[in-house]
Amino acid sequence: MTTPLALTPAEVHGRIDDFTVVDVRTPGEYASGHVPGAHNIPLDRVEEASPSLRSAAARGPLLVVCASGARSGRACEQLKDLGIEAATLEGGTTAWTAAGHPVRRPAGARSPWPMERQVRLTAGFLVAVGFVAGLAWPPAHWLSGLIGAGLVFSATTNTCGMAALLGRLPHNRPPRDAVSFEETLRRVAA
């Protein structure tokens, strides 16, 4: 599989309106600040959104965005497998804001940590708990081993079950006044 087309923030900035921008972060991350005009379609719902994304791609180019470019790259690969062309924003919203470009934030939006950081914290915490608990009760060391095996599986399959679970926590959910997923699909397809 080839690497998806990657565009830098400088290549995109002057022509952002030429793209249908899709942000594949969790709704909570999206609400904390996103590229202007971006539609939130979380990575785990890209395949479900493919009919709307196919309609958008027929009208013009798709630009997929996340925090760092990793999830948007995976989304572009998924879309390519579905016959939909898309480019990823190199470096994600982190590079976009570092280049001095604006982001949109709803009033009162909270700023959860990026998902990669949440996963590292949770995995590290569980490994430490397994180690310490294993000092008193040796079978607890299995927790550390299971987390390690999960990380190896995650790396080899380029998926992350822990991220999928963390994405369902309240701080990663959309704010009450957020546009629904169904409305987002209608807007993307229109």
Side-chain angles (χ1 to χ4, degrees):
M1 190 175 299
T2 60
T3 304
L5 177 65
L7 299 171
T8 66
E11 292 171 315
V12 171
H13 182 255
R15 56 188 203 110
I16 191 73
D17 294 333
D18 296 345
F19 296 93
T20 298
V21 182
V22 176
D23 191 318
V24 295
R25 296 177 297 160
T26 66
E29 289 175 293
Y30 172 82
S32 70
H34 54 271
V35 172
H39 302 279
N40 186 216
I41 299 176
L43 181 61
D44 63 347
R45 299 190 81 177
V46 165
E47 189 169 335
E48 179 183 349
S50 64
S52 296
L53 294 170
R54 185 172 281 109
S55 295
R59 288 190 320 274
L62 287 180
L63 179 67
V64 185
V65 181
C66 67
S68 66
R71 284 178 280 178
S72 59
R74 287 196 304 269
C76 286
E77 290 173 4
Q78 279 184 306
L79 291 170
K80 183 178 179 183
D81 290 346
L82 295 167
I84 303 169
E85 286 189 37
T88 182
L89 180 63
E90 196 172 275
T93 54
T94 302
W96 179 263
T97 56
H101 304 309
V103 292
R104 296 274 155 74
R105 286 185 179 90
R110 18 175 231 280
S111 294
W113 284 356
M115 187 54 65
E116 292 89 355
R117 187 173 181 192
Q118 292 181 48
V119 168
R120 289 192 310 265
L121 173 70
T122 304
F125 176 76
L126 291 173
V127 167
V129 165
F131 175 77
V132 171
L135 296 175
W137 187 58
H141 280 130
W142 281 102
L143 175 62
S144 300
L146 289 172
I147 296 300
L151 291 171
V152 169
F153 178 80
S154 176
T156 57
T157 63
N158 202 23
T159 62
C160 187
M162 188 178 290
L165 290 173
L166 291 173
R168 288 174 170 67
L169 292 176
H171 65 276
N172 285 320
R173 291 189 190 146
R176 287 190 178 108
D177 60 347
V179 174
S180 71
F181 183 70
E182 293 73 21
E183 178 60 24
T184 298
L185 295 182
R186 281 191 285 281
R187 290 179 182 184
V188 167

